[in-house]
Amino acid sequence: MSWQTMIGYNYIDGENKSENDQVFTSFKPVENLLQKNFVLTTNRNFYFRTGTNYKLSEKSNLLFNYNLNMANDRATSTSSTSEPE
Protein backbone atom coordinates (compact mmCIF):
# COMPACT_ATOMS: atom_id res chain seq x y z
CA MET A 1 0.00 0.00 0.00
CA SER A 2 1.15 3.53 -0.78
CA TRP A 3 -0.44 6.94 -0.22
CA GLN A 4 0.04 10.55 -1.24
CA THR A 5 -1.30 13.89 0.05
CA MET A 6 -1.11 17.34 -1.58
CA ILE A 7 -2.24 20.63 -0.05
CA GLY A 8 -1.94 24.02 -1.74
CA TYR A 9 -3.10 27.61 -1.87
CA ASN A 10 -3.23 29.94 -4.86
CA TYR A 11 -3.75 33.73 -4.79
CA ILE A 12 -4.04 35.99 -7.86
CA ASP A 13 -4.67 39.76 -7.78
CA GLY A 14 -5.40 41.76 -10.93
CA GLU A 15 -6.35 45.23 -12.13
CA ASN A 16 -7.64 46.36 -15.51
CA LYS A 17 -8.13 50.03 -16.37
CA SER A 18 -9.42 51.22 -19.72
CA GLU A 19 -10.45 54.54 -21.22
CA ASN A 20 -12.27 55.02 -24.52
CA ASP A 21 -12.78 58.43 -26.14
CA GLN A 22 -15.14 58.44 -29.13
CA VAL A 23 -15.91 61.25 -31.54
CA PHE A 24 -19.23 61.22 -33.41
CA THR A 25 -18.84 63.34 -36.53
CA SER A 26 -22.30 62.70 -37.93
CA PHE A 27 -23.78 65.17 -35.41
CA LYS A 28 -23.70 68.94 -35.78
CA PRO A 29 -21.93 70.06 -33.63
CA VAL A 30 -19.55 67.09 -33.27
CA GLU A 31 -20.21 65.05 -30.09
CA ASN A 32 -17.58 63.38 -27.86
CA LEU A 33 -18.16 60.45 -25.49
CA LEU A 34 -15.63 59.45 -22.81
CA GLN A 35 -15.94 56.01 -21.18
CA LYS A 36 -13.80 54.87 -18.23
CA ASN A 37 -13.71 51.38 -16.70
CA PHE A 38 -11.75 49.96 -13.75
CA VAL A 39 -11.95 46.28 -12.70
CA LEU A 40 -10.25 44.83 -9.60
CA THR A 41 -10.17 41.02 -9.32
CA THR A 42 -9.05 38.72 -6.50
CA ASN A 43 -8.93 34.95 -6.96
CA ARG A 44 -8.17 32.60 -4.06
CA ASN A 45 -8.07 28.82 -4.27
CA PHE A 46 -7.33 26.16 -1.64
CA TYR A 47 -6.98 22.51 -2.62
CA PHE A 48 -6.52 19.22 -0.80
CA ARG A 49 -5.86 15.98 -2.67
CA THR A 50 -5.19 12.58 -1.22
CA GLY A 51 -4.96 9.10 -2.64
CA THR A 52 -4.11 5.54 -1.71
CA ASN A 53 -2.91 2.69 -3.90
CA TYR A 54 -3.56 -0.91 -2.84
CA LYS A 55 -1.55 -3.52 -4.75
CA LEU A 56 -3.89 -6.51 -5.09
CA SER A 57 -1.60 -8.63 -7.26
CA GLU A 58 1.38 -8.22 -9.54
CA LYS A 59 -0.84 -6.93 -12.37
CA SER A 60 -3.65 -5.11 -10.57
CA ASN A 61 -4.01 -2.13 -8.25
CA LEU A 62 -6.96 -0.56 -6.46
CA LEU A 63 -6.84 3.26 -6.34
CA PHE A 64 -8.84 5.61 -4.08
CA ASN A 65 -8.57 9.35 -4.75
CA TYR A 66 -10.24 12.32 -3.06
CA ASN A 67 -10.07 15.94 -4.28
CA LEU A 68 -11.35 19.01 -2.43
CA ASN A 69 -11.24 22.52 -3.93
CA MET A 70 -12.52 25.69 -2.27
CA ALA A 71 -12.46 29.04 -4.08
CA ASN A 72 -13.15 32.64 -3.09
CA ASP A 73 -13.23 34.82 -6.22
CA ARG A 74 -14.21 38.49 -6.26
CA ALA A 75 -14.46 41.11 -9.00
CA THR A 76 -15.46 44.74 -8.51
CA SER A 77 -16.07 47.10 -11.41
CA THR A 78 -16.35 50.88 -11.59
CA SER A 79 -17.53 52.45 -14.83
CA SER A 80 -18.43 55.95 -15.95
CA THR A 81 -19.62 57.57 -19.15
CA SER A 82 -19.39 61.33 -19.63
CA GLU A 83 -19.05 64.06 -22.16
CA PRO A 84 -15.51 65.49 -22.13
CA GLU A 85 -15.11 69.09 -21.07
Side-chain angles (χ1 to χ4, degrees), residues 35-76:
Q35 296 172 313
K36 295 181 181 180
N37 189 22
F38 180 73
V39 178
L40 179 64
T41 58
T42 304
N43 300 323
R44 296 182 183 108
N45 183 41
F46 171 79
Y47 64 89
F48 174 76
R49 297 179 181 133
T50 186
T52 58
N53 182 5
Y54 296 98
K55 189 167 183 89
L56 300 176
S57 68
E58 188 176 318
K59 295 185 178 181
S60 63
N61 292 327
L62 180 61
L63 302 173
F64 291 106
N65 293 316
Y66 180 76
N67 295 330
L68 172 68
N69 290 300
M70 294 183 288
N72 181 9
D73 300 337
R74 179 184 59 181
T76 57

Side-chain angles (χ1 to χ4, degrees), residues 7-21:
I7 297 174
Y9 180 76
N10 186 16
Y11 178 85
I12 300 172
D13 237 354
E15 290 182 1
N16 186 11
K17 182 179 180 181
S18 63
E19 188 173 309
N20 186 15
D21 190 7

Side-chain angles (χ1 to χ4, degrees), residues 70-85:
M70 294 183 288
N72 181 9
D73 300 337
R74 179 184 59 181
T76 57
S77 178
T78 305
S79 301
S80 68
T81 302
S82 62
E83 192 174 323
E85 302 292 322

